[in-house]
């Protein structure tokens, strides 16, 4: 996810990061400041049930994922065991937000949940300059990774995710790849690609995807539907295994 994080950092550069309680999308976000912590130019103002360790971990996440080049304030509030993270932006409407960023918000929220808040529920929001919610996503995945290859999974366990990860590593080695693994009646595997249309995939790559669906069906011991996604997360092809 390294390249993804770099692009997200560019999109979020200059944003003020807020963490607040849950609000309706039509209501402005607020946070009651109680304590503060500053490290490496990032200041976290935390209140409610948020702890000092929450504040330190939040600073680490902002530093590593957003990597701001100037000072940044973070407002952190925990309520009922859940966190809502709102990113105040220069966007004026939801239509201005890049499709790429909208697609990756659940993954960012999920990474924050797993790495920062010990698996607690996270709602990640993009706010305008008046703190109105423009876009919102909830943590819904766990993840396993090898370097920059990430498998985001829900509806199934870590064992299945590790099987998909091992297979992905065997295909691309140390490359960068995001794959979503979801299980309902079948395994749905959504693989990011550089292709922007079905036509761009071509016959040779189509055979690779068909083999991938078949191989993963064998490894997971169940029916697989492999969804090929464009760089913005839009489905452009499906292969059955």
């Amino acid at each position: 996810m390294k390249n993804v994080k770099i692009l997200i950092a560019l999109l979020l550069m200059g944003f003020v990061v807020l963490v607040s309680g849950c609000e309706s999308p039509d209501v402005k976000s607020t946070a009651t400041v109680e304590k503060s912590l500053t490290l490496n130019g990032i200041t976290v103002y935390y209140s409610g049930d948020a702890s000092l360790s929450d504040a330190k971990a939040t600073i680490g996440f902002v530093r590593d994922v957003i990597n701001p080049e100037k000072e940044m304030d973070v407002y952190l509030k925990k309520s009922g065991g859940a966190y809502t993270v709102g990113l105040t932006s220069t966007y004026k409407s939801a239509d201005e937000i890049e499709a790429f960023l909208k697609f990756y918000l659940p993954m960012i929220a999920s990474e924050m949940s797993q790495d920062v808040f010990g698996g607690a529920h996270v709602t990640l929001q993009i706010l305008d300059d008046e703190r109105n919610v423009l876009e919102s996503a909830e943590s819904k995945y766990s993840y396993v990774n090898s370097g920059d290859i990430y498998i985001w999974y829900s509806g199934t366990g870590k064992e299945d995710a590790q099987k998909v990860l091992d297979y992905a590593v065997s295909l691309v080695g140390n490359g960068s790849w995001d794959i979503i693994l979801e299980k309902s009646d079948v395994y749905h595997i959504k693989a990011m690609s550089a292709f922007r249309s079905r036509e761009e995939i071509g016959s040779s790559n189509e055979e690779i995807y068909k083999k991938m669906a078949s191989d993963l069906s064998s490894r997971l011991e169940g029916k697989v539907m492999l969804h090929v996604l464009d760089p913005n997360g839009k489905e452009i092809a499906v292969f059955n295994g």
Side-chain angles (χ1 to χ4, degrees):
M1 201 180 178
K2 181 179 180 181
N3 293 336
V4 171
K5 289 182 178 179
I6 291 172
L7 183 50
I8 289 171
L10 293 174
L11 293 174
L12 299 182
M13 195 65 67
F15 284 17
V16 178
V17 178
L18 306 173
V19 182
S20 63
C22 298
E23 293 89 18
S24 164
D26 297 323
V27 179
K28 294 181 180 180
S29 301
T30 59
T32 303
V33 175
E34 294 179 353
K35 302 175 183 177
S36 66
L37 175 68
T38 300
L39 292 171
N40 301 316
I42 301 170
T43 300
V44 172
Y45 299 92
Y46 58 106
S47 59
D49 296 328
S51 66
L52 177 61
S53 62
D54 288 334
K56 289 180 178 179
T58 300
I59 287 176
F61 187 87
V62 172
R63 180 196 63 226
D64 295 340
V65 175
I66 300 178
N67 191 24
E69 294 181 346
K70 59 183 180 180
E71 293 182 357
M72 177 176 283
D73 290 339
V74 180
Y75 295 83
L76 172 61
K77 185 176 180 180
K78 178 183 179 183
S79 177
Y83 299 82
T84 298
V85 181
L87 308 177
T88 297
S89 73
T90 57
Y91 296 119
K92 301 300 182 183
S93 70
D95 292 338
E96 294 180 2
I97 302 173
E98 292 82 355
F100 175 90
L101 181 54
K102 290 181 180 180
F103 173 74
Y104 268 100
L105 279 183
M107 275 78 94
I108 304 170
S110 299
E111 185 174 8
M112 223 176 177
S113 169
Q114 183 167 321
D115 293 355
V116 180
F117 301 122
H121 186 270
V122 171
T123 301
L124 182 61
Q125 301 173 335
I126 296 179
L127 314 177
D128 64 15
D129 57 4
E130 294 183 350
R131 300 184 186 177
N132 296 305
V133 178
L134 301 178
E135 188 72 19
S136 181
E138 299 184 9
S139 56
K140 56 186 293 189
Y141 303 112
S142 298
Y143 79 86
V144 292
N145 72 296
S146 176
D148 293 325
I149 302 175
Y150 282 73
I151 311 299
W152 308 90
Y153 63 97
S154 69
T156 188
K158 186 175 181 179
E159 182 178 354
D160 281 345
Q162 188 64 47
K163 291 177 182 178
V164 177
L165 177 61
D166 292 343
Y167 184 78
V169 170
S170 74
L171 289 181
V172 300
N174 295 321
S176 179
W177 201 2
D178 285 285
I179 297 175
I180 298 171
L181 170 64
E182 298 173 325
K183 185 181 180 183
S184 52
D185 53 332
V186 301
Y187 289 97
H188 291 273
I189 297 176
K190 303 175 183 179
M192 296 298 293
S193 79
F195 302 115
R196 296 190 175 275
S197 68
R198 175 63 182 260
E199 292 71 29
E200 283 189 13
I201 293 176
S203 58
S204 61
N205 288 311
E206 183 172 317
E207 291 305 313
I208 292 173
Y209 282 124
K210 288 179 179 178
K211 185 177 187 303
M212 181 178 174
S214 177
D215 289 346
L216 286 172
S217 177
S218 296
R219 293 201 180 199
L220 294 170
E221 300 180 344
K223 184 177 180 181
V224 165
M225 294 184 67
L226 176 62
H227 307 258
V228 182
L229 309 182
D230 73 6
N232 289 324
K234 180 181 178 181
E235 181 181 296
I236 56 175
V238 180
F239 301 95
N240 295 317

